[in-house]
């Protein structure tokens, strides 16, 4: 197996427009650090039984570049139980924080993931020399890494892995399958790889054409490369060629691709506005409007001002800017009607840091909650804080209501209400901090700025923050700051510090300007929150300036109330800001909120992955009928496969229908798309209404398939209605005559509907015959035969079965002439009809031997190359039909039942076995009328035993 000393063969690469859930190869996906699995990761997790989510909650999930973990899929293949689990395994590679991934890091993490899987492959089978691997376009949902670049970097990472694998004699990747759900992104990836292959002759061989796989879609509803539900905008400090400070913006929104814009500004003016804005007594909205125009480039203002959810990435030079106060309105009159930007937008900050804890062990859902309120303070200059005490009690009470629902308990360290109460001292607080794992820490008390400034510098008007950030004031001249939190082996997920002067950023460091001038509130926005972020706390809230008591209490209460209700961090922050803003003042803007937008406080018994957007949120970007088609296509494709939540699908289509049917319902292709979606969601009557509109619309954009499907659905609905009417009549207390009359009327109405639909179906099938069209005609005649059997009209029933046989025979002829792999399907239906209309005649010679052999070969090829339930059960059905044709079921009954039982052990879905049972129950009764008692008993035994399989 060793390849030592040789270069790898060219890497074969195929790009497919498909859904990863249908990929058989081990599949590699990337993970940006987050509390929840989304997109591709979530889909993979569902397929393999949730082990990825378990690893994430347990702190064992890879998130740093170069880290990886393998998850073997031991779950059954729900889409096709006759085949092995798909994918066989999921290889997750870490990508770090979104926005920080660089091209070399991506190639490296892919390389390490490939080598880890190669090692696993070697351990399972030492004779293996190569393997195939599938991968998503890893990292392409993040900032600045479009699909084409992601495809090249994944390919390069695999190639680099192969070189190293050859050196050590391990198996190499022979074929890389890059799988992308959306056609436009898959096309971009394929084109980019063509360039890579041309630039690197002899290293890559790209499949000549983009492959169309199962479940592929044309493109996302929103023409974006972001998988997240928020816009990511970074504002970083740069310097131009003259040493002047600039703010460089990188925009990655759901409406525009990544782009960079630089905005120059006067530092002195910016610092003056920043200092004035970051003041608890400021109520001048003009400062916010001035900051907006001063800071944001003109061409970027629509993106920033029009975003409904924004994650703003900052550095130390831009974090001191009070972004929350930016105002996009243009006048005082407009300001009266327009909410501030950070109220209209769900807004969070994100801090880009170079220095951070390399390995972070997050608290899990079983960790506890620590609430600290008005801790003991020995400094006589610092007054009592009854508002801090009230806030802490309120927060603790909110969590206390959840104790029965959450596994974690709440510990309260809150000052008493008596005049002599002094609150918990430093030792009590520090001991409590370190005694157990905390998931959430909430602190309300006095905040202290960084260590005393150098007096000479202060005399010179220069403020220099010291290295010690101090933090929350405790007893005996001590503080609770980032150094204390850093000693915790397990890092809290959320720290809320409701004290003045503890937020990220320093007004004197705006754009890295030399600190000068008088101290102000913003200048005391020291390093506590910044240091918490550095050590790995996922979500941090801290106040950037003095805050008003009532508004502060309102913010905290509203935030935790929303959080405990299951809302995401970004949504809870938005709720809290709005509640505080309604009280006036600017306390609502003082809170700097950093963190993971998707983080939730969820009990172990609940699943954070299941939170879903409303239909209104999901389809807010539908702005044209072509985008509406994409939305309906997505629902139609996804709902074809097991595991899809059809109830939620009905909500989505119902919303789209109510919103857009009067706008674009007269477009034929739109009406057809609605009909197709309703069919997959088992809403036949609504589908028929839309198919009727589709073929009646004058624009001619509906396909001829609409006519066939309209007829097909009308036939099925007519029989369903008749069966329901008969069942309802029998279950009623009516007399026999009334029951008969009701049933007859229902049958007559259904007969008219089916015959009208048949006229439509046969016209199209005669005009241009296809296997499918002939099959639909055969299916319609079969249902008419069932209706005539219900009416006890044997002559009409047999006539309908004869027509069924004719149409399925036509389909079989076409399938044979084109060597269609599904020849067995129309052939088995034709054979069933032949058993009913011909086998009773003494002159019937039996099935044609050549035809039977062709059906057997078709079934063997299908079960060998692409087996599914229907091809495997078809093998047994063919044996059954041959036995019935020879009137010799009894001798083979037990072997036939053994085959059914073996299949049932692999696939037990009642819906599938009900179809098998219904088919046998349709064929067998007439067989029993023409055979001896032994054969009749065997036939009845078959029905009875299949009934058990269909009902369990």
């Amino acid at each position: 197996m060793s390849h030592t000393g040789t270069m790898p063969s060219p890497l074969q690469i195929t790009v497919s427009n498909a859904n990863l859930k249908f990929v058989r190869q081990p599949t590699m996906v990337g993970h940006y650090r987050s509390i929840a699995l989304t997109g591709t990761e979530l889909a993979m997790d569902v397929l393999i039984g949730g082990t990825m989510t378990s690893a994430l909650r347990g702190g064992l999930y890879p998130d740093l570049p170069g880290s990886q973990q393998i998850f073997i899929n031991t779950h059954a293949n729900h889409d096709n139980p006759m085949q092995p689990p798909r994918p066989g395994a999921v290889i997750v590679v870490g990508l770090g924080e979104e926005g920080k991934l660089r091209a070399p890091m991506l190639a490296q993490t892919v390389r390490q993931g490939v080598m880890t899987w190669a090692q696993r492959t070697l351990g399972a089978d030492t004779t293996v020399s190569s393997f195939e691997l599938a991968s998503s376009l890893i990292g392409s949902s993040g900032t600045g890494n479009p699909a084409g670049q992601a495809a090249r970097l994944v390919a390069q990472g695999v190639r680099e892995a192969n070189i190293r694998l050859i050196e050590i004699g391990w198996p190499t990747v022979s074929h890389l399958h890059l799988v992308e759900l959306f056609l436009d992104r898959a096309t971009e990836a394929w084109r980019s790889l063509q360039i890579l292959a041309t630039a690197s002759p002899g290293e890559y061989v790209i499949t000549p054409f983009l492959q169309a796989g199962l479940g592929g879609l044309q493109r996302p509803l929103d023409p974006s490369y972001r998988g997240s539900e928020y816009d990511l905008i970074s504002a970083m400090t740069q310097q131009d060629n003259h040493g002047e400070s600039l703010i460089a913006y990188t925009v990655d929104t759901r409406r525009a691709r990544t782009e960079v814009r630089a905005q120059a500004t006067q530092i002195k003016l910016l610092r003056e506005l920043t200092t004035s804005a970051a003041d608890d007594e400021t109520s001048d909205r003009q400062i916010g409007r001035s900051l907006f125009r001063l800071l944001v480039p003109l061409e970027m203002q629509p993106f920033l001002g029009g975003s409904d959810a924004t994650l703003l990435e900052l550095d130390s030079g831009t974090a001191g800017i009070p972004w929350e106060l930016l105002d996009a309105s243009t006048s005082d009159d407009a300001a009266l009607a327009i909410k501030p930007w950070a109220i209209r937008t769900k807004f969070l900050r994100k801090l880009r840091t170079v220095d951070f804890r390399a390995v972070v062990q997050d608290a899990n859902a079983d960790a506890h909650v620590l609430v600290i309120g008005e801790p003991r303070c020995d400094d006589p200059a610092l007054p009592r804080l009854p508002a801090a005490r009230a806030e802490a009690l309120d927060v603790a009470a909110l969590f206390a209501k959840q104790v029965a629902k959450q596994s974690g308990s709440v510990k309260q360290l809150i000052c008493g209400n008596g005049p002599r109460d002094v609150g918990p001292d430093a030792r009590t607080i520090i001991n409590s901090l370190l005694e157990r794992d905390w998931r959430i820490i909430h602190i309300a008390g006095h905040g202290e700025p960084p260590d005393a400034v150098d007096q000479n510098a202060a005399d010179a008007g220069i403020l220099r923050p010291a290295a010690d950030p101090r933090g929350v004031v405790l007893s005996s001249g001590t503080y609770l700051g980032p150094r204390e939190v850093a000693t915790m082996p397990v890092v809290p997920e959320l720290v809320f510090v409701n004290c003045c002067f503890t937020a990220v950023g320093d007004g004197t460091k705006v754009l890295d300007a030399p600190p000068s001038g008088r101290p102000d509130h913003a200048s005391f926005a020291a390093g506590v929150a910044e240091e918490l972020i550095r050590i790995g706390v996922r979500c941090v809230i801290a106040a950037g300036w003095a805050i008003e008591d009532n508004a502060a209490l309102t913010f905290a209460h509203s935030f935790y109330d929303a959080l405990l209700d299951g809302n995401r961090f970004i949504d809870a922050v938005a709720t809290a800001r709005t509640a505080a803003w309604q009280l006036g003042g600017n306390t609502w803007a003082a809170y700097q909120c950093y963190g993971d937008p998707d983080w939730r406080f969820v009990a172990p018994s609940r699943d954070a992955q299941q939170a879903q957007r409303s239909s209104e949120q999901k389809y807010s970007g539908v702005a044209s009928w072509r985008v509406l088609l994409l939305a309906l296509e997505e629902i139609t494709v996804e709902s074809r496969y097991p595991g899809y939540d059809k109830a939620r699908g009905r909500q989505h289509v119902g919303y789209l229908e109510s919103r857009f049917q009067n706008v674009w319902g007269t477009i034929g292709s739109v009406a057809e798309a609605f009909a197709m979606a309703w069919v997959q969601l088992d809403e036949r009557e609504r589908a028929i209404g839309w198919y009727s509109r589709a073929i009646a619309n004058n624009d001619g954009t509906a396909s001829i398939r609409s006519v066939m499907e309209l007829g097909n659905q009308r036939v099925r609905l007519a029989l369903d209605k008749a069966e329901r009417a008969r069942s309802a009549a029998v279950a009623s207390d009516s007399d026999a005559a009334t029951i008969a009359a009701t049933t007859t009327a229902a049958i007559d109405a259904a007969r008219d509907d089916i015959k009208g639909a048949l006229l439509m179906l046969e016209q199209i099938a005669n005009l241009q015959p296809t296997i499918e069209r002939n099959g639909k005609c055969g299916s319609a005649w079969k249902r008419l035969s069932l209706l005539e059997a219900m009416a006890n009209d044997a002559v009409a029933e047999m006539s309908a079965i004869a027509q069924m046989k004719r149409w399925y025979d036509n389909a079989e002829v076409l399938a044979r002439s084109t060597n269609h792999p599904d020849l067995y399907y129309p052939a088995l239906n034709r054979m069933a009809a032949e058993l009913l209309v011909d086998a009773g005649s003494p002159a019937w010679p039996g099935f044609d031997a050549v035809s039977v052999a062709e059906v057997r070969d078709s079934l063997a090829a299908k079960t060998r190359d692409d087996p599914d339930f229907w091809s495997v059960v078809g093998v047994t059905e063919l044996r059954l039909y041959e036995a019935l044709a020879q009137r010799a079921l009894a001798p083979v009954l037990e072997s036939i039942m053994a085959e059914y039982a073996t299949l049932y052990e692999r696939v037990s879905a009642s819906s599938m076995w009900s179809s098998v049972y219904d088919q046998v129950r349709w064929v067998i009764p007439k067989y029993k009328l023409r055979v001896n008692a032994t054969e009749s008993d065997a036939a009845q035994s078959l029905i009875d035993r299949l009934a058990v399989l269909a009902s369990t």
Side-chain angles (χ1 to χ4, degrees):
M1 185 188 69
S2 175
H3 306 280
T4 304
T6 63
M7 289 297 292
S9 302
L11 177 62
Q12 180 78 28
I13 304 179
T14 298
V15 181
S16 300
N17 173 213
N19 192 317
L20 274 171
K21 67 188 293 186
F22 300 111
V23 174
R24 60 179 175 81
Q25 295 87 0
T27 302
M28 185 182 300
V29 299
H31 174 69
Y32 284 112
R33 187 167 188 257
S34 173
I35 193 65
L37 301 182
T38 59
T40 301
E41 282 184 280
L42 179 56
M44 294 292 99
D45 184 50
V46 171
L47 290 177
I48 69 175
T51 55
M52 294 163 64
T53 294
S54 298
L56 180 66
R57 288 176 175 171
L60 301 176
Y61 206 74
D63 54 16
L64 295 178
S67 62
Q68 69 286 138
Q69 187 170 356
I70 294 172
F71 298 89
I72 300 298
N73 188 1
T74 59
H75 263 49
N77 186 335
H78 297 292
D79 294 312
N80 191 345
M82 304 311 302
Q83 295 185 353
R86 293 190 176 186
V90 179
I91 307 155
V92 181
V93 296
L95 303 178
E97 295 281 354
E98 183 181 5
K100 297 181 181 179
L101 183 66
R102 299 295 177 262
M105 296 166 62
L106 176 53
Q108 176 191 9
T109 201
V110 168
R111 183 187 69 209
Q112 295 302 112
V114 172
M115 295 188 68
T116 300
W117 179 251
Q119 183 182 35
R120 180 66 174 259
T121 302
L122 183 65
D125 186 353
T126 57
T127 65
V128 174
S129 61
S130 64
F131 57 90
E132 295 188 6
L133 182 72
S135 176
S136 65
L137 297 180
I138 295 174
S140 60
S141 63
T143 306
N145 191 33
Q149 177 173 296
R152 293 196 307 272
L153 293 172
V154 171
Q156 289 169 359
V158 174
R159 170 77 179 177
E160 291 173 8
N162 274 353
I163 294 174
R164 294 197 177 188
L165 291 170
I166 283 181
E167 292 175 353
I168 59 178
W170 286 4
T172 58
V173 179
S174 60
H175 196 151
L176 173 64
H177 298 264
L178 288 174
V179 183
E180 167 54 43
L181 180 63
F182 299 112
L183 178 60
D184 57 346
R185 285 166 47 81
T187 302
E188 181 183 347
W190 181 84
R191 289 174 177 169
S192 181
L193 289 172
Q194 295 290 333
I195 297 173
L196 176 64
T198 302
S200 308
E203 296 184 5
Y204 305 94
V205 176
I206 314 302
T207 303
F209 302 103
L210 187 68
Q211 304 300 302
L214 292 174
L217 301 173
Q218 294 183 55
R219 64 176 177 85
L221 297 182
D222 298 316
S224 161
Y225 287 99
R226 284 190 56 73
S228 303
E229 299 172 14
Y230 51 84
D231 299 335
L232 178 61
I233 302 175
S234 66
M236 300 296 166
T237 306
Q238 286 188 359
Q239 288 187 335
D240 62 15
N241 295 332
H242 304 289
E244 295 293 327
S245 294
L246 305 172
I247 299 179
Y249 292 90
T250 304
V251 183
D252 198 9
T253 77
R254 291 159 288 170
R255 295 152 293 152
R257 297 192 184 202
T258 301
E259 50 189 295
V260 176
R261 295 289 184 270
Q263 179 80 338
T265 187
Q266 298 182 47
I267 296 176
K268 291 183 178 180
L269 177 59
L270 176 59
R271 291 191 67 247
E272 180 63 30
L273 288 173
T274 296
T275 300
S276 300
D279 190 314
D280 61 315
E281 297 180 357
T282 295
S283 59
D284 184 4
R285 288 190 64 176
Q286 183 55 48
I287 294 178
R289 293 194 285 271
S290 298
L291 281 170
F292 186 82
R293 279 150 188 78
L294 187 65
L295 292 170
V296 183
L298 183 62
E299 64 272 29
M300 270 192 55
Q301 291 180 9
F303 293 117
L304 196 61
S307 175
D308 60 356
T310 301
L311 183 63
L312 185 61
E313 187 178 31
L314 307 168
D315 60 15
S316 60
T318 55
I321 298 172
W323 297 94
E324 290 79 4
L325 284 173
L326 264 60
D327 198 335
S329 59
T330 58
S331 67
D332 288 331
D333 291 338
L336 294 176
I338 301 176
K339 298 177 181 178
W341 171 64
I343 296 297
R344 291 186 290 108
T345 300
K346 296 176 182 178
F347 171 65
L348 286 183
R349 294 172 171 230
K350 179 179 181 179
L351 186 66
R352 177 177 292 187
T353 60
V354 177
D355 179 23
F356 55 89
R357 181 181 288 189
V359 179
V360 178
Q361 185 178 354
D362 291 319
N364 58 34
D366 294 324
H368 303 259
V369 177
L370 177 62
V371 181
I372 302 172
E374 195 185 5
R376 179 176 176 178
C377 177
D378 300 330
D379 188 343
L382 297 178
R384 289 292 301 272
L385 294 175
R389 176 184 177 277
E391 175 191 308
L393 288 171
D394 182 72
V395 171
L398 286 172
F399 278 103
K401 293 179 182 179
Q402 296 289 324
V403 168
K405 303 175 184 178
Q406 308 284 346
S407 64
S409 62
V410 181
K411 182 164 186 175
Q412 304 178 37
L413 298 177
I414 303 174
C415 181
N417 195 32
R420 296 181 182 274
D421 291 327
V422 292
D425 60 16
R427 184 177 65 178
T428 301
I429 289 175
I430 297 302
N431 286 342
S432 297
L433 188 73
L434 301 177
E435 72 180 1
R436 63 178 63 175
D437 298 343
W438 300 107
R439 190 178 185 193
I440 292 178
I441 298 177
H442 182 91
I443 309 171
H446 280 295
E448 189 69 19
D451 205 354
V453 300
D454 178 83
Q455 190 58 48
N456 293 331
D459 292 341
I462 301 173
L463 181 65
R464 290 185 182 141
D468 185 355
R470 293 191 176 183
V472 182
V473 179
L474 303 179
S475 63
S476 303
T478 59
Y479 305 93
L480 173 57
R483 291 179 303 182
E484 289 69 38
V485 177
T487 62
M488 301 171 63
V490 176
V491 177
E493 290 184 315
L494 168 66
V495 176
F496 189 146
V497 186
N498 212 358
C499 310
C500 304
F501 320 135
T502 54
V504 171
D506 185 334
T508 65
K509 295 197 297 183
V510 170
L511 298 187
D512 291 333
S516 62
R518 73 191 194 293
D520 51 54
H521 287 307
S523 70
F524 289 125
V528 171
E530 182 172 1
E531 293 302 319
L532 291 173
I533 294 167
R534 291 182 191 277
I535 66 173
V537 177
R538 191 178 294 274
C539 300
V540 176
I541 300 178
W545 57 80
I547 48 181
E548 193 273 324
D549 291 344
N550 189 34
L553 176 61
T554 299
F555 184 96
H557 180 93
S558 301
F559 170 76
Y560 284 114
D561 191 46
L563 196 68
L564 291 170
D565 197 36
N567 287 282
R568 300 179 304 163
F569 182 59
I570 192 172
D571 298 320
V573 167
T575 299
R577 280 206 181 107
T578 300
W581 171 73
Q582 291 173 341
L583 298 179
N586 68 2
T587 292
W588 64 270
Y591 291 103
Q592 296 182 3
C593 303
Y594 292 80
D596 183 345
D598 294 320
W599 179 79
R600 299 173 190 267
F601 183 71
V602 182
S605 60
R606 295 172 59 191
D607 188 355
Q609 311 297 338
Q610 298 304 314
Q612 297 170 312
R613 290 182 293 171
S614 67
S615 299
E616 184 176 4
Q617 292 172 323
K618 184 176 178 66
Y619 300 113
S620 61
V622 176
S624 72
W625 66 270
R626 295 186 185 277
V627 178
L628 175 60
L629 289 180
L630 294 174
L632 292 168
E633 177 194 35
E634 180 182 49
I635 297 170
T636 302
V637 171
E638 289 293 324
S639 60
R640 289 173 183 164
Y641 307 110
Y644 183 81
D645 185 351
K646 289 195 174 184
R648 186 158 183 82
R650 294 184 192 102
Q651 291 178 4
H652 288 329
V653 180
Y655 168 79
L656 293 172
E657 186 180 74
S658 64
R659 184 177 178 189
F660 299 118
Q661 63 177 332
N662 294 330
V663 182
W664 298 313
T666 56
I667 299 174
S669 56
V670 170
E672 182 177 14
F674 270 115
M676 293 170 66
W678 282 126
V679 166
Q680 293 301 323
L681 296 170
D682 304 324
E683 292 286 345
R684 189 162 283 138
E685 290 190 68
R686 301 180 80 164
I688 289 172
W690 278 108
Y691 274 129
S692 299
R693 293 178 65 173
I695 63 177
N697 286 341
N698 293 320
D699 64 347
T701 58
S703 70
I704 196 171
R705 186 182 180 89
S706 290
V707 182
M708 297 299 297
E709 280 302 318
L710 174 59
N712 181 41
Q713 297 303 322
R714 283 179 57 187
V715 169
R716 292 171 181 270
L717 179 63
L719 183 60
D720 288 346
K721 283 183 173 181
E723 290 176 338
R724 290 198 300 268
R726 181 181 63 174
S727 297
V730 171
S732 69
D733 295 330
S734 303
D735 56 64
T738 302
I739 293 174
T742 301
T743 303
T744 299
I747 290 173
D748 290 342
R751 184 184 293 112
D752 290 342
D753 286 345
I754 292 177
K755 287 186 175 180
L758 266 168
L759 180 63
M760 181 187 306
L761 290 169
E762 291 183 342
Q763 285 179 336
I764 301 296
N766 286 322
L767 178 66
Q768 180 58 63
T770 66
I771 299 172
E772 181 187 28
R773 291 169 188 170
N774 282 313
K776 278 186 167 45
C777 291
S779 175
W781 278 109
K782 177 182 177 180
R783 282 168 172 76
L784 182 57
S785 77
L786 294 172
L787 184 72
E788 299 298 0
M790 191 188 309
N792 296 315
D793 189 337
V795 175
E797 177 191 5
M798 297 306 291
S799 176
I801 295 175
Q803 289 296 323
M804 167 195 166
K805 174 190 168 188
R806 178 173 73 87
W807 283 104
Y808 274 119
D809 186 61
N810 291 342
E812 183 182 356
V813 170
L814 286 175
R816 185 178 295 110
S817 66
T818 58
N819 294 316
H820 198 279
D822 292 340
L823 164 70
Y824 70 88
Y825 178 74
L828 286 174
N829 277 284
R830 184 264 307 163
M831 293 172 71
E834 195 169 351
L835 283 172
L836 292 171
V837 297
D838 297 330
S841 170
W844 184 59
F847 293 130
D848 177 70
V850 174
S851 175
V852 170
E854 289 177 337
V855 175
R856 185 174 290 108
D857 290 344
S858 173
L859 285 165
K862 178 70 173 179
T863 54
R864 180 190 67 239
D865 300 334
D866 187 24
D868 59 18
F869 175 85
W870 304 111
S871 63
V872 175
V873 81
V875 174
T876 306
E877 280 189 350
L878 178 60
R879 282 196 63 204
L880 172 63
Y881 292 169
E882 288 183 287
L884 296 179
Q886 298 167 9
R887 301 190 180 189
L889 173 61
V892 297
L893 174 62
E894 293 306 320
S895 63
I896 286 176
M897 281 307 309
E899 290 182 10
Y900 279 134
T902 299
L903 179 58
Y904 184 81
E905 291 178 357
R906 302 176 64 184
V907 184
S908 59
S910 60
S911 59
M912 294 180 176
W913 284 102
S914 293
S915 296
V916 175
Y917 172 62
D918 289 342
Q919 182 75 355
V920 171
R921 189 175 54 171
W922 177 59
V923 173
I924 288 294
K926 289 181 173 55
Y927 175 75
K928 292 175 60 179
L929 297 176
R930 64 176 74 116
V931 296
N932 59 35
T934 301
E935 280 296 304
S936 178
D937 291 344
Q940 187 60 49
S941 176
L942 177 67
I943 292 177
D944 293 342
R945 291 157 80 174
L946 282 176
V948 175
L949 297 183
S951 61
T952 57

